[in-house]
């Protein structure tokens, strides 16, 4: 009965199951540690010689990839601080579509260096102010490092596109970047609109077909549908197309209808009028000149019969978005109801044909003429995971193309930019007087992570490479980077390795932001994990 | 004990145990929130049950999300939330002020003083402080053309305590302009007319003020224009889709022609309504290259969308109700509920309407409007927790500006008011009362100092040094506050650090009330359940 004093402090006030971490050692250092662990995982996948990871997600799906965005996405990171890094990586992936690995690894490196500073006795707020100054300086320097004359580029010139895209693709599929980047460049250039800034990533499609190899990969100007034609007509050339979003069948009222039949004669007649009606509709379509009918919903048996009779090829595309793309490919306007189409609403295809590739029946829709804004990269590979990885490389390439349409400036690749930044930011730190100069110096040091990792992943001696890089840069050769194949330092303009300025800019900025956010937190209050079935989005926590 | 006889499961804490529980709870809560106060306060990371992250410095958010269970702490938290409801700011200050009042009282109670005497002292001190606040506040003239600078200073003071400096300064302009935009003479400011929209895109510093409206959906037809200039805007609440009749109706037909006829009739009613809109469009847009935009609160079905698209009209369906009101304020015109008598007068105007697509999400911007009375703060940020943080801050910033406009006065910040009030209480008020009540006033006066003390502590300064130098300056007759960077006394007026009058008044009002209540508790009874381990 003797009641003890209530426990003191926050722990006593919270619901059971709460965790509360606070202070430098418990919260900040632990957070940093978690982020470090995450970046250790992604780091080995950085660069062309990065290793692949095999990730098996909660659905038992296997991923073999070195794409950091995919890795961290499937890892289902639980630790709150590490999650901030993951979010930064995702933001980068959404914004640019490439460079997620750089974001996460660099943020991890920044935090690791911050830990050393904290152990030296610096307060996190000083580190934050130093890092903020440093990133602002970095952005300035990055602008200076932009290759002269690169701000104007012809996004339709394949050579220029490939030179900018190669580094991004190479970091995912090293050794195959020449084939892939030229494929992707072709596909992108084909669909690039008049104003390149409006380039839509969605217009470059990827069709993955099992079998064959990389050398069988091709580009189709048009679409590849993974389905068969509905009727028996499988091939049509130079034909007009009518697209019906609402399905090809008899029309129905919204309100329930009932057929009223008084006697046997009417029953017989009803079926006939129904037939006559459908025939009339299909005939009207056929008369308008259309040879191909595309339906967005079900195709009725009777309608199909008449289509066959009027020698129309029937395709069914049930996805609304796929149907819109089809409209963009052919220039057709989707009609809601089956009716006689206006000549303006008809589209045109060069050829529609059903082919069998690797045991799968696919419908290839080609339209070489103007008005087509879709192209498809057909990828061939021996296993699903190889195809998935190729697709990610293509996605990165397409995203890079989009980014260069917006901002075509480039900076030297192969770690040349990073070393130059490290050098210049370091110089900048000497001019600062406050305690944050240590933080700025560490920020500069963090850039070394990139060449170091590139070298390590390629099996080279990292220290040797970095020191010779520094030596080259100190003597004014700002464009010297690592040649990973020969293991020496070279002027990257001879190797033609360029990175997009915008990718670097966002990656570094997001990384610095994430690192500062993690450092700013000094207390973590964790609620008891919500119960309920695992995996699926758990139900919201109970409000108390 | 008597209670045991009545209910054997009940628990009771009496006398000093009850008092200490209350004091401890108040102190505990103060400890939690203390580190958040002021521009140099730290951030707390809250991890929800589903693993979602929230980063915050805002006392109000923190108290809401922390799921506090201790009964005393809940009482204090409620006061703080009430503080937020009324003035939109000062939650952290309220909590630490209450905590400090309890802490100061503890000292006297331990020495054998009766809580009642302290409470009497609090009451006198509270009244005196409020009177002092009236004298101390700096009146400002609002009128028809308010001084933007002073509003900015108030907004900046609030925002800097919630966000880091660079971002806070940027938001300052945004919130001040937003409030001035929606302000109508002779009417109370309705902050609801500022739409806050967020996009997960780019960086937090890309947050901006849109004079006009941003809707978080786009047109649903692939052939509609994505961008239009010089637009007439029709705001309506008319159903443009086929409604099933309420009664259970059915069609009877005996051949396909009849059915076709039924299909046509079914659509006719909707088509007629659409036609009326198209007619209006043709009327106002013929002969010039103006565009026409329909924003409908109800649905528009695919056939109607198709008709509108063919007529070159941009149509948005299922707009939010609150946006309909704002749309009219932003673009002019009026919201129509029927298409029967449409006139060009019903139409609003916007210089630019365009759609922005971010991944799966679509946003429609209605910009370049004439003489808007509604605007949108478009928050951008790379991830959800940044956006949530900015959102909370923007809300508080808007409230701060609104309060200033309504109070027509501000109070010097940076701890200047607290130190001045303390000096006033100790030097003047205390002498006017007799007996032990004096001690209550003293406790109150010392408790006021918690604000400058905590500010100093969070900036890594020596609290004692700071208080001594501040009180010293005040004794010499200079009203000074604390500089967060140097720890030296500064003139808040020169630095532009101003707090809301209503915020301060609310703190002084509610803090002592709750503290008195807690002090006067002498028994805590909890029936049935164990107090320490809630099940």
């Amino acid at each position: 009965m003797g009641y003890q004093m209530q426990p003191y402090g926050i722990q006593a006030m919270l619901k059971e199951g709460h965790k509360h971490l606070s202070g430098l050692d418990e919260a900040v250092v632990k957070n940093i540690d978690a982020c470090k662990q995450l970046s250790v995982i992604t780091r080995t996948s950085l660069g062309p010689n990065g290793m692949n990871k095999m990730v098996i997600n909660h659905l038992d799906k296997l991923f073999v990839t070195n794409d950091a965005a995919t890795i961290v996405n499937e890892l289902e990171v639980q630790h709150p601080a590490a999650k901030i890094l993951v979010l930064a990586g995702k933001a980068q992936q959404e914004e640019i579509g490439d460079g997620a690995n750089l974001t996460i690894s660099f943020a991890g490196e920044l935090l690791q260096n911050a830990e050393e500073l904290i152990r030296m006795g610096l307060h996190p707020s000083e580190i934050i102010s130093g890092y903020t100054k440093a990133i602002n300086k970095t952005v300035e320097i990055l602008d200076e490092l932009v290759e002269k004359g690169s701000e104007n580029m012809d996004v339709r010139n394949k050579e220029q596109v490939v030179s900018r895209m190669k580094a991004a693709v190479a970091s995912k599929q090293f050794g195959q970047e020449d084939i892939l980047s030229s494929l992707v460049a072709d596909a992108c250039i084909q669909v690039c609109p008049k104003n390149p800034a409006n380039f839509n990533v969605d217009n470059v499609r990827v069709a993955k077909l099992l079998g064959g190899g990389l050398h069988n990969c091709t580009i189709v100007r048009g679409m590849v549908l993974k389905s068969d034609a509905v009727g028996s007509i499988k091939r049509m050339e130079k034909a007009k197309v009518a697209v019906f979003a609402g399905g090809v069948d008899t029309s129905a009222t919204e309100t329930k209808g009932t057929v009223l039949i008084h006697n046997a004669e009417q029953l017989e007649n009803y079926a006939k009028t129904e037939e006559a009606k459908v025939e009339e509709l299909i005939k009207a379509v056929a008369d308008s000149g259309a040879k191909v009918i595309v339906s967005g919903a079900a195709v009725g048996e009777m309608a199909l019969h008449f289509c066959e009779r009027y020698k129309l090829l029937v395709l069914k595309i049930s996805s609304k978005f796929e149907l819109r793309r089809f409209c963009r490919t052919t220039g057709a306007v989707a009609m809601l109801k089956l009716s006689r189409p206006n000549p303006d609403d008809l589209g045109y295809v060069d050829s529609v044909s059903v082919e069998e590739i690797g045991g799968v029946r696919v419908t290839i829709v080609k339209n070489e003429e103007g008005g087509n804004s879709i192209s498809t990269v057909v990828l061939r590979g021996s296993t699903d995971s190889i195809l998935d990885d190729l697709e990610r490389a293509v996605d990165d390439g397409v995203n890079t193309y989009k980014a260069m349409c917006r901002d075509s400036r480039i900076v030297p690749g192969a770690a040349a930019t990073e070393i130059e930044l490290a050098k210049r930011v370091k110089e900048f730190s000497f001019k600062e007087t406050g305690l944050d100069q240590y933080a700025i110096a560490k920020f500069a040091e963090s850039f070394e992570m990139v060449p170091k990792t590139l070298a390590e992943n390629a099996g080279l001696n990292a220290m040797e490479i970095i020191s010779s890089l520094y030596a080259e840069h100190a003597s004014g050769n700002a464009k010297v980077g690592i040649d990973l194949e020969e293991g020496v330092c070279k002027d990257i303009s001879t190797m033609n390795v360029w990175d997009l300025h915008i990718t670097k800019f966002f990656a570094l900025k997001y990384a610095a932001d994430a690192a500062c956010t993690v450092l700013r937190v000094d207390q973590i209050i964790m609620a008891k994990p919500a119960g309920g079935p695992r995996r699926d989005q758990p139900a919201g926590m109970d409000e108390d | 004990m008597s209670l045991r006889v009545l209910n054997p499961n009940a628990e009771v804490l009496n006398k000093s145990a009850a008092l200490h529980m209350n004091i401890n709870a108040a102190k505990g809560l103060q400890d939690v929130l203390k580190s958040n106060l002021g521009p140099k306060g730290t951030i707390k990371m809250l991890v929800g049950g589903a693993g979602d992250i929230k980063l915050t410095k805002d006392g109000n958010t923190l108290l809401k999300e922390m799921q506090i269970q201790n009964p005393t702490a809940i009482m204090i938290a409620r006061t703080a939330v009430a503080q937020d409801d009324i003035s939109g700011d000062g939650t952290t200050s309220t909590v630490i002020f209450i905590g400090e009042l309890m802490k100061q009282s503890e000292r006297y109670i331990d020495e054998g003083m009766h809580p009642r005497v302290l409470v009497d002292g609090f009451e006198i001190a509270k009244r005196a402080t409020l009177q002092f606040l009236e004298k101390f506040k700096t009146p400002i003239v609002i009128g028809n053309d308010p001084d933007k600078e002073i509003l900015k200073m108030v907004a900046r003071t609030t925002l800097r305590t919630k966000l880091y400096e660079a971002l806070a300064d940027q938001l300052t302009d945004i919130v001040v302009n937003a409030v001035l935009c929606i302000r109508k003479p002779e009417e109370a400011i309705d902050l609801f007319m500022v739409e806050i929209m967020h996009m997960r895109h780019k960086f937090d510093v890309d947050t901006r003020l849109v004079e006009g409206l941003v809707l978080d959906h786009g047109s649903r037809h692939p052939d509609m224009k994505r961008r239009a200039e010089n637009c007439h805007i029709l705001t309506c609440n008319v159903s443009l889709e086929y409604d099933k009749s309420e009664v259970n109706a059915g069609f009877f037909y005996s051949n396909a022609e009849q059915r076709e006829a039924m299909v046509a009739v079914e659509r006719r009613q909707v088509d007629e309504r659409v036609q009326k809109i198209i007619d209006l469009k043709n009327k106002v847009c013929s002969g010039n290259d103006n565009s026409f935009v329909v924003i409908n609160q109800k649905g528009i079905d695919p056939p109607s969308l198709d008709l509108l698209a063919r007529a070159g009209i941009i149509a948005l369906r299922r707009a939010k109700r609150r946006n309909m009101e704002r749309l009219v304020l932003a673009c002019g015109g009026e919201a129509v509920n029927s298409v029967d008598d449409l006139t060009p007068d019903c139409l609003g105007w916007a210089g630019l309407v365009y759609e922005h697509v971010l991944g799966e999400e679509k946003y429609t911007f209605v910009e370049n409007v004439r003489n808007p009375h509604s605007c949108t703060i478009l928050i951008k940020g790379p991830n959800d927790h940044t956006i949530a943080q900015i959102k909370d801050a923007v809300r508080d910033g808007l409230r701060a500006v609104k309060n200033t406009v309504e109070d027509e006065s501000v109070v010097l910040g940076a701890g200047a008011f607290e130190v001045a009030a303390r000096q006033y209480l100790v030097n003047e008020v205390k002498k006017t009362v007799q007996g032990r009540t004096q001690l209550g006033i003293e406790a109150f006066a010392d408790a006021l100092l918690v604000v400058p003390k905590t500010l100093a502590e969070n900036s890594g300064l020596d609290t004692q040094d700071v208080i001594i130098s501040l009180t010293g300056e005040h004794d010499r007759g200079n009203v000074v506050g604390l500089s967060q960077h140097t720890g030296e006394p500064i003139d808040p007026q020169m630095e532009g650090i101003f707090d809301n009058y209503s915020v301060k008044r609310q703190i002084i009002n509610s803090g002592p009330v709750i503290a008195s209540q807690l002090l006067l508790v002498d028994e805590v009874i909890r029936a049935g359940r164990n107090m320490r381990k809630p099940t």
Side-chain angles (χ1 to χ4, degrees):
Chain A
M1 168 150 153
Y3 208 100
Q4 301 290 308
M5 280 274 287
Q6 282 275 318
Y8 177 69
I10 185 173
Q11 216 73 54
M13 273 180 291
L14 296 172
K15 231 177 170 175
E16 219 181 336
H18 264 81
K19 262 199 273 178
H20 174 243
L21 308 166
S22 73
L24 214 52
D25 286 329
E26 214 177 324
V28 182
V29 176
K30 279 229 171 100
N31 280 346
I32 292 177
D33 194 52
C35 298
K36 243 163 55 183
Q37 300 303 332
L38 181 72
S39 76
V40 165
I41 295 176
T42 58
R43 192 173 296 179
T44 50
S45 296
L46 186 75
N49 288 59
M51 303 301 273
N52 278 354
K53 307 272 177 226
M54 194 183 264
V55 186
I56 297 165
N57 75 355
H58 65 272
L59 297 170
D60 282 338
K61 189 170 189 290
L62 177 71
F63 290 84
V64 179
T65 181
N66 59 8
D67 182 42
T70 318
I71 297 172
V72 294
N73 211 4
E74 301 304 330
L75 273 181
E76 292 191 31
V77 174
Q78 293 283 330
H79 193 282
K83 230 175 182 172
I84 290 183
L85 254 61
V86 173
L87 288 174
K90 273 193 192 155
Q92 169 77 10
Q93 186 71 16
E94 278 168 24
E95 199 69 38
I96 307 288
D98 185 26
N101 202 338
L102 179 61
T103 313
I104 295 173
S105 303
F106 188 63
E109 184 72 17
L110 283 177
L111 286 170
Q112 187 169 359
N113 284 329
E115 190 186 353
E116 283 172 34
L117 290 169
I118 288 172
R119 293 208 191 288
M120 270 165 62
L122 244 66
H123 193 264
S125 68
E126 280 148 356
I127 304 178
I128 293 168
S129 91
Y131 276 8
T132 317
K133 274 184 197 163
I135 186 69
N136 291 341
K137 186 73 189 168
T138 306
V139 170
E140 272 174 42
I141 300 173
L142 203 58
D143 281 341
E144 289 165 22
L145 291 182
V146 169
E147 178 71 4
K148 295 262 164 7
S150 67
E151 55 276 8
N152 301 316
M153 75 170 274
D154 181 9
V155 289
R156 289 187 181 74
N157 182 331
K158 187 172 167 190
E159 206 174 300
Q160 288 188 11
V161 171
V162 169
S163 77
R164 284 166 168 83
M165 194 184 285
K166 213 156 92 184
V169 177
S171 67
K172 300 289 173 313
Q173 292 290 332
F174 191 50
Q176 296 158 344
E177 72 268 21
D178 287 329
I179 304 172
L180 270 180
S181 49
S182 107
L183 272 177
V184 177
D186 272 339
C188 292
I189 293 167
Q190 273 181 15
V191 298
C192 186
K194 275 192 205 94
N195 178 2
N198 291 338
F199 177 77
N200 187 351
V201 186
D202 198 43
N203 284 344
V204 179
R205 309 299 305 164
V206 175
K208 294 176 286 184
L209 295 170
L210 213 55
L214 193 64
H215 294 277
N216 302 81
C217 294
T218 48
I219 306 172
V220 173
R221 260 211 99 171
M223 289 174 80
V224 175
L225 303 168
K226 278 195 166 176
S227 60
D228 199 349
V230 183
S232 63
I233 302 161
K234 304 288 187 198
R235 203 174 171 80
M236 198 63 81
E237 277 181 13
K238 303 213 183 324
K240 286 198 173 148
V241 190
V243 180
F244 299 103
V248 178
D249 206 349
T250 51
S251 52
T253 48
E254 297 261 355
T255 314
K256 211 161 81 186
T258 313
V259 185
L260 198 64
I261 290 167
H262 294 291
N263 50 39
E265 202 181 322
Q266 277 188 351
L267 178 66
E268 208 174 310
N269 279 338
Y270 178 73
K272 277 187 186 152
T273 55
E274 195 79 77
E275 260 178 54
K277 192 76 208 167
V278 175
E279 179 169 11
E280 185 192 316
L281 285 170
I282 301 287
K283 187 166 183 296
V285 175
D287 286 348
S288 71
K291 291 255 179 61
V292 178
I293 288 187
V294 180
S295 162
V299 180
E301 287 289 319
M302 208 192 296
L304 186 60
H305 164 79
F306 287 108
C307 291
E308 296 276 294
R309 182 181 283 176
Y310 286 101
K311 297 269 175 291
L312 298 174
L313 189 147
V314 184
L315 285 177
K316 194 179 129 191
I317 303 175
S318 30
S319 154
K320 194 170 80 183
F321 300 99
E322 199 76 0
L323 195 70
R324 278 192 197 159
R325 279 182 215 121
F326 186 87
C327 289
R328 287 211 295 269
T329 313
T330 57
V333 177
M335 277 161 292
L336 283 160
K337 260 168 53 184
L338 186 60
S339 57
R340 189 194 162 88
N342 285 329
D344 297 349
D345 294 345
L346 290 176
Y348 173 81
V349 285
D350 273 337
S351 75
V352 182
S353 57
V354 179
E355 282 174 33
E356 195 180 303
I357 302 176
V360 192
R361 278 177 175 269
V362 292
T363 311
I364 297 176
V365 182
K366 281 190 189 162
N367 184 8
E368 305 280 347
E369 296 199 6
N372 174 14
S373 56
I374 305 268
S375 66
T376 305
V377 180
V378 182
L379 290 178
R380 305 296 310 274
S382 44
T383 65
D384 276 329
S385 45
I386 290 184
L387 283 174
D388 285 344
D389 214 26
L390 280 175
E391 185 187 7
R392 282 189 283 272
V394 171
D395 278 350
D396 276 16
V398 175
N399 278 314
T400 314
Y401 184 79
K402 183 187 172 196
M404 77 177 81
C405 283
R406 278 195 282 168
D407 184 348
S408 65
R409 286 180 294 169
I410 48 175
V411 290
T417 308
E418 279 80 6
I419 284 292
E420 188 64 18
L421 284 171
K423 191 189 102 192
R424 298 241 208 132
V425 175
K426 192 120 199 174
E427 281 163 13
F428 170 67
S429 79
F430 295 139
K431 289 177 197 143
E432 284 295 310
T433 48
L435 272 177
D436 43 14
Q437 61 166 296
Y438 295 107
I440 300 174
K442 280 287 178 200
F443 191 96
E445 233 167 73
S446 307
F447 285 114
E448 285 174 17
M449 182 275 295
V450 177
K452 198 165 116 201
T453 315
L454 285 180
E456 270 170 9
N457 288 348
L460 306 173
N461 185 340
M463 286 336 280
E464 227 170 76
I465 295 274
I466 289 179
S467 51
S468 56
L469 277 177
Y470 266 128
E472 289 280 356
H473 280 257
S475 55
N477 303 329
K479 281 190 213 156
V480 173
I482 317 173
D483 183 341
L484 289 174
E485 275 163 38
E486 292 173 33
V488 289
C489 302
K490 258 194 194 168
D491 193 319
I492 53 93
S493 46
T494 63
M495 295 190 284
N496 216 2
V497 183
W498 300 98
D499 281 333
L500 279 180
H501 167 264
I502 190 165
T503 313
K504 278 255 147 53
F505 169 77
F506 274 98
L508 296 179
K509 196 108 195 292
Y510 278 136
D513 272 3
C516 288
T517 311
V518 172
L519 287 174
R520 272 200 194 104
V521 174
D522 84 323
Q523 279 191 17
I524 309 177
I525 299 168
M526 286 163 92
K528 190 179 180 179
R534 299 283 293 138
R535 304 310 171 200
D536 302 303
Q537 277 294 307
M541 54 182 182
D542 43 344
E543 299 280 331
D544 246 46
Chain B
M1 215 181 288
S2 51
L3 186 75
R4 287 275 160 179
V5 180
L6 299 171
N7 179 352
N9 288 326
E11 290 213 22
V12 65
L13 289 175
N14 57 7
K15 284 283 153 76
S16 65
L19 196 60
H20 276 111
M21 185 194 96
N22 283 341
I23 292 175
N24 278 345
K27 274 166 36 181
L29 205 57
Q30 182 193 4
D31 274 351
V32 177
L33 290 183
K34 207 160 76 175
S35 57
N36 288 28
L37 188 78
K40 292 249 174 155
T42 51
I43 302 184
K44 286 190 173 41
M45 180 190 258
L46 293 162
V47 184
D52 45 325
I53 298 175
K54 190 151 199 184
L55 292 169
T56 188
K57 258 176 101 174
D58 186 24
N60 183 39
T61 323
L62 208 58
L63 290 172
K64 255 194 233 151
E65 306 272 329
M66 260 193 332
Q67 307 194 348
I68 300 169
Q69 288 242 304
N70 180 299
T72 318
I74 291 178
M75 268 178 82
I76 299 173
R78 285 214 186 115
T79 330
V81 173
Q83 166 85 28
D84 183 75
D85 287 344
I86 289 175
S87 53
D89 195 13
T91 36
T92 313
S93 312
T94 312
V95 171
I96 65 169
F97 182 50
I98 294 172
E100 191 66 17
L101 277 172
M102 300 297 279
K103 204 175 184 175
Q104 296 292 341
S105 312
E106 190 185 19
R107 260 177 50 209
Y108 292 103
I109 290 168
D110 282 350
E111 286 166 13
M113 202 144 106
H114 193 274
R116 172 61 71 186
V117 183
L118 285 173
V119 169
D120 288 344
F122 282 0
E123 188 56 33
I124 298 170
K126 184 182 104 182
R127 256 182 281 132
T129 316
L130 286 173
Q131 276 165 10
F132 179 70
L133 180 63
E134 292 300 321
K135 272 191 288 174
F136 190 79
K137 71 179 183 188
T138 320
I140 49 168
V141 187
I142 295 293
N144 280 330
D145 190 22
D147 181 6
K148 247 189 182 175
E149 282 312 307
I150 198 107
L151 294 180
K152 272 189 196 167
M153 284 177 204
V154 177
R156 189 181 303 131
T157 313
T158 311
L159 287 170
R160 280 204 183 168
T161 64
K162 318 271 174 211
L163 297 167
Y164 63 91
E165 233 176 87
L167 184 57
D169 290 354
Q170 192 191 351
L171 286 180
T172 304
D173 286 338
I174 294 176
V175 296
V176 171
N177 288 336
V179 173
L180 292 181
C181 170
I182 59 160
R183 184 169 164 269
K184 286 183 188 167
E186 310 298 316
E187 263 180 61
I189 296 173
D190 184 3
L191 287 182
F192 218 50
M193 290 303 115
V194 181
E195 165 83 334
I196 297 176
M197 186 52 74
H198 61 87
M199 272 171 140
R200 222 167 73 200
H201 186 42
K202 290 193 176 166
F203 299 111
D204 42 13
V205 283
D206 290 312
T207 301
R208 69 186 179 104
L209 179 74
V210 178
E211 297 218 329
L213 213 57
V214 182
L215 305 161
D216 58 351
H217 50 120
S219 65
R220 298 299 296 266
H221 197 279
D223 293 341
M224 283 183 187
K225 275 189 279 186
R226 296 278 176 270
R227 185 189 174 89
E229 280 168 23
N230 300 333
C231 307
H232 294 285
I233 308 244
L234 176 65
T235 315
C236 57
N237 184 10
V238 179
S239 170
L240 293 178
E241 57 190 342
Y242 174 70
D243 296 308
K244 276 213 166 111
S245 58
E246 296 266 334
V247 289
N248 202 359
F251 286 143
F252 290 97
Y253 49 85
S254 41
N255 58 38
E257 262 98 60
Q258 283 180 5
R259 195 194 51 215
E260 290 296 315
M262 302 261 191
V263 173
V265 170
E266 213 177 28
R267 290 267 351 136
R268 195 198 290 154
Q269 207 186 2
V270 181
D271 287 349
E272 271 172 8
R273 273 183 241 155
V274 175
Q275 193 53 44
K276 277 185 183 141
I277 294 175
I278 295 174
D279 288 344
L280 181 68
K281 188 249 169 181
N282 291 337
K283 198 157 128 197
V284 293
C285 295
S286 57
N288 51 28
D289 55 355
N290 290 355
S291 307
F292 198 88
V293 179
V294 176
I295 296 172
N296 197 359
Q297 191 184 330
K298 288 218 171 71
I300 305 177
D301 61 4
S304 309
L305 274 176
D306 206 48
L307 283 174
L308 292 169
R310 275 163 208 269
I313 296 175
I314 300 175
L316 269 76
R317 67 178 178 191
R318 303 223 184 276
K320 292 192 181 74
R321 218 184 71 83
R322 58 164 207 268
N323 277 340
M324 304 308 286
E325 199 181 339
R326 291 178 189 153
L327 206 58
V328 171
L329 284 169
C331 310
E334 54 186 279
V336 291
N337 286 314
S338 135
V339 288
D340 287 338
D341 34 36
L342 282 178
T343 57
D345 295 341
C346 307
L347 298 174
W349 172 268
L352 180 63
V353 175
Y354 64 97
E355 193 180 293
H356 188 106
V357 185
L358 274 186
E360 307 274 288
E361 312 267 321
K362 279 182 178 176
Y363 296 86
T364 307
F365 286 70
V366 180
E367 275 195 77
N368 296 356
V369 293
R370 291 174 186 156
N371 195 17
H373 283 291
S374 176
C375 54
T376 305
I377 295 179
L378 182 67
I379 298 174
K380 290 187 179 178
N383 37 42
D384 289 337
H385 56 82
T386 317
I387 293 172
Q389 209 182 341
I390 301 175
K391 222 181 208 169
D392 286 339
V394 164
R395 211 178 58 99
D396 288 353
L398 288 172
R399 296 282 279 280
V401 179
K402 178 186 173 226
N403 286 339
T404 317
V405 173
E406 287 178 354
D407 294 345
E408 303 203 333
S409 54
V410 288
V411 180
L412 292 176
F417 167 70
E418 282 78 7
V419 177
R422 190 248 179 190
Q423 296 304 91
Y424 172 73
L425 287 176
V426 173
N427 297 339
E428 294 175 38
V429 181
K430 203 173 132 188
K431 288 169 195 149
T432 61
V433 286
Q434 298 294 315
R436 289 189 299 171
T437 324
Q438 277 194 358
L439 295 177
I441 297 173
E442 205 172 292
F444 188 96
D446 286 339
L448 279 175
L449 285 185
V450 70
V451 174
K453 265 187 200 161
T454 313
L455 285 176
E457 203 179 315
N458 286 345
S459 318
L461 303 168
D462 187 304
T463 42
Q464 307 306 330
D465 269 356
V466 167
I467 294 300
I468 300 279
S469 69
L470 283 182
T471 46
E473 284 291 321
H474 275 266
D475 282 339
R476 257 171 261 138
N478 303 327
V479 180
V480 290
L482 169 71
S483 162
Q484 293 273 298
H485 301 290
T486 58
E488 297 298 315
I490 46 155
D491 182 358
Q493 193 143 19
M494 298 296 289
E495 300 287 318
I497 304 171
F498 289 103
D499 283 333
N500 274 149
Y501 162 75
S502 56
V503 171
K504 283 275 184 267
R505 205 188 53 195
Q506 181 68 17
I507 294 174
I508 305 290
N509 248 327
S510 60
V513 172
I514 202 84
S516 308
Q517 275 176 358
L518 291 176
L519 282 177
L520 290 178
V521 169
D522 78 332
E523 224 166 86
V524 178
I525 301 169
R526 183 163 193 159
R529 282 200 289 173
N530 190 316
M531 224 182 287
R532 224 197 284 172
K533 267 201 186 141
T535 43

